[in-house]
Amino acid sequence: MKQFLVIPLLLIATSALAQTQIEPFAQSITRENLKNHIYTLASDTLQGRETGKPGQKKAAKYIAAHFRNYGLDSLHFQGYFQPFNLYKYDYGAVNIMAENTGKFADKLPYITFFGTRLFTQEMDFRDTLHFKYMGYGNDYNKSDLSDSVVVLLLDENLGETYKRVKQIASGTKAKYFLIFFPKTGLFRYDPERFPLAEIDGSDRLKAMTYKLKEPFLGKHLAKYSSYVDSIQNFVQTKDTIVMAFANPWETKRLLGLKFKDLKKLERKVAKGKASRNIELKNDTAICYINNKNYKLDTLKTENVLAYIEGSNKKDEVIVVSAHYDHLGKRGKNIYYGADDNASGTAAIMEMARAFQEAAYQGIKPSRSIVFVALSAEEVGLRGSDYFVSNSPVPLKNIVLNLNLDMVGRNRNNEDKYSQTAYIIANGKRDGMFKRTARKIARKNDSLKLSSHPGLSERMTWSFSSDHFRFKRKNIPIACFFTGLHPDYHSKRDTPDKINYAKLTEITRVGYKMLWNVANSDKNLKVKVKHPKKQNFIEKMFD
């Protein structure tokens, strides 16, 4: 019996000793350090850190300077930078806005429906119109709708919807259409399956897909150029048809319905049981159209990387990531992005510093760790896309991606979530990663780490941050976040609203979790592969 007990007891003692050794370094992660980073990254000077803009460049230099001062390895990248190029077709702005009479009317006086995809000529004007809801548009009457924005449900594909748009436009003089989709959003439309150019060649309509507005990597340039070539072949006409799209959240405000009621409405309309028998929450729209010539811009940007070499398992690597870019400015308003994602960036900077200080004392993890501040997340996870396609370490050696995105606030801005954070894990050993983090968090009364953020946020977060790029390569992922809030992607996401006590504890838990995983005796290696089967979201991102 004693022979069988010796090894487990030794392992427990060794683990406890290791935890005791790193505790001072975990405690060196302080509220003051995190606060200083966030107030710098989310300052007026950095202007919202929009990809390719001066503010993003300043943020990159700030992060790199700290990595250098900490004494971290640069992985042979000059200045700690992994540079890459993005390309963007600029076709101007076409917006339909509605006066917001809902809960956040004082903070968001107008709901703006971005994403207009179709237009026929260059224009620059404003007008005040009225909304008219018409379901799928099957039973419209031929009244004059020239002063209206026609609100339609998206059919099974955009081609069918557009055919109805043409019918209504020709029969009623309507020129403005707002399309909404309770089910799966704009991504229901597959431009390869239902190419707009083939809807009606005689229509002579300039057509654009959602893909052309977003920046993309050079490897996709030829594919996107073909879209633009097809657009250029259309001849401009004097007629104008404007189509904008509303996601379920915007539609909720416009129609005053809950999400589940939107889905019920769509089912009723599809069965012919409901069409125009709905009262709109808003009745007035302001249209603003400003289309310019197509222009291809090259955006130069960079990820910022640092490296801690492991000891006896140094060929195996954990990648710790957080995106540092944000939305920049919209007019005079700065979108500071304190929570999204100066919070995650500050956290990985502090983790990197603590690991390096431990290494100076001879306390090194078994596995190596790459810390990467990623750019271009807000424009389609492009920084992480570039990283996994041009990884400085073999992908087959990456055993985990720990991603931190929005880790500094309370879910829904509510005090009852002031101690709550969430971990989502996927892939080999996902249960181990969650258990490890939650076990560490349980030792701290000031933080509750849950793996159940709610179904909608769990589904959204599975593909809407940089860990998605690693997951698509079959690399195990874990993601920390603290939930969405009304200030998300608004100018109100400022440093003064960060819950710094909570952020400090999350960063310490992340640091200890990394230490445990980096020193685990378990076999963490996986077979890297790119899944052949893809759902509509994965196709969109790929």
Side-chain angles (χ1 to χ4, degrees), residues 42-291:
S43 65
D44 288 341
T45 306
L46 269 62
Q47 298 286 289
R49 311 185 303 281
E50 183 176 356
T51 300
K53 297 294 179 68
Q56 177 258 302
K57 302 292 186 181
K58 290 178 181 178
K61 290 178 181 178
Y62 174 83
I63 298 164
H66 279 77
F67 283 166
R68 185 182 302 107
N69 291 338
Y70 300 156
L72 291 158
D73 191 293
S74 67
L75 263 177
H76 308 296
F77 285 105
Q78 185 175 358
Y80 295 83
F81 300 133
Q82 183 189 40
F84 60 97
N85 291 336
L86 295 174
Y87 301 91
K88 179 181 179 181
Y89 285 103
D90 183 6
Y91 59 94
V94 184
N95 300 331
I96 294 178
M97 297 180 287
E99 185 176 359
N100 187 2
T101 59
K103 181 178 180 181
F104 304 108
D106 57 329
K107 298 177 180 177
L108 292 171
Y110 292 99
I111 308 167
T112 301
F113 303 102
F114 293 108
T116 303
R117 308 303 169 199
L118 310 179
F119 53 86
T120 59
Q121 63 182 10
E122 294 182 20
M123 298 161 286
D124 190 351
F125 61 86
R126 295 175 71 96
D127 201 359
T128 301
L129 307 170
H130 299 284
F131 286 112
K132 300 288 184 184
Y133 175 73
M134 303 187 71
Y136 284 134
N138 291 323
D139 58 347
Y140 72 93
N141 56 39
K142 300 214 172 186
S143 58
D144 186 355
L145 296 175
S146 57
D147 65 342
S148 303
V149 174
V150 179
V151 182
L152 295 176
L153 272 166
L154 180 66
D155 211 315
E156 281 306 305
N157 66 74
L158 187 56
E160 290 300 315
T161 298
Y162 179 62
K163 287 177 182 177
R164 293 200 177 99
V165 165
K166 287 196 299 180
Q167 293 170 355
I168 297 172
S170 61
T172 67
K173 298 183 181 180
K175 295 183 178 181
Y176 305 89
F177 294 83
L178 179 63
I179 315 299
F180 71 88
F181 29 79
K183 281 187 179 176
T184 54
L186 179 59
F187 311 128
R188 285 172 70 182
Y189 167 55
D190 183 345
E192 294 176 359
R193 186 179 174 192
F194 305 111
L196 291 175
E198 296 177 9
I199 292 174
D200 186 348
S202 64
D203 180 59
R204 300 172 183 247
L205 175 75
K206 279 189 176 180
M208 295 205 99
T209 73
Y210 68 90
K211 290 186 175 182
L212 289 184
K213 187 172 183 180
E214 301 297 345
F216 48 88
L217 293 172
K219 64 182 180 181
H220 302 304
L221 184 58
K223 178 179 179 180
Y224 285 86
S225 296
S226 67
Y227 279 100
V228 175
D229 290 341
S230 66
I231 292 169
Q232 302 281 11
N233 291 331
F234 284 95
V235 179
Q236 291 186 354
T237 69
K238 293 182 180 180
D239 293 328
T240 301
I241 299 177
V242 175
M243 293 175 63
F245 297 96
N247 63 37
W249 294 272
E250 295 164 335
T251 306
K252 276 171 40 176
R253 293 176 183 151
L254 180 67
L255 277 67
L257 294 175
K258 295 181 179 179
F259 181 65
K260 63 180 181 180
D261 294 326
L262 283 175
K263 292 192 289 186
K264 288 180 182 178
L265 173 66
E266 186 178 40
R267 286 195 295 268
K268 286 183 180 179
V269 172
K271 293 178 181 179
K273 296 181 178 180
S275 179
R276 285 176 286 179
N277 56 343
I278 183 171
E279 183 179 346
L280 297 179
K281 187 79 172 178
N282 305 87
D283 61 4
T284 303
I286 296 176
C287 289
Y288 174 62
I289 302 176
N290 182 13
N291 294 329

Side-chain angles (χ1 to χ4, degrees), residues 33-50:
N33 290 346
L34 291 163
K35 189 173 183 178
N36 287 337
H37 289 319
I38 291 176
Y39 266 87
T40 300
L41 292 169
S43 65
D44 288 341
T45 306
L46 269 62
Q47 298 286 289
R49 311 185 303 281
E50 183 176 356

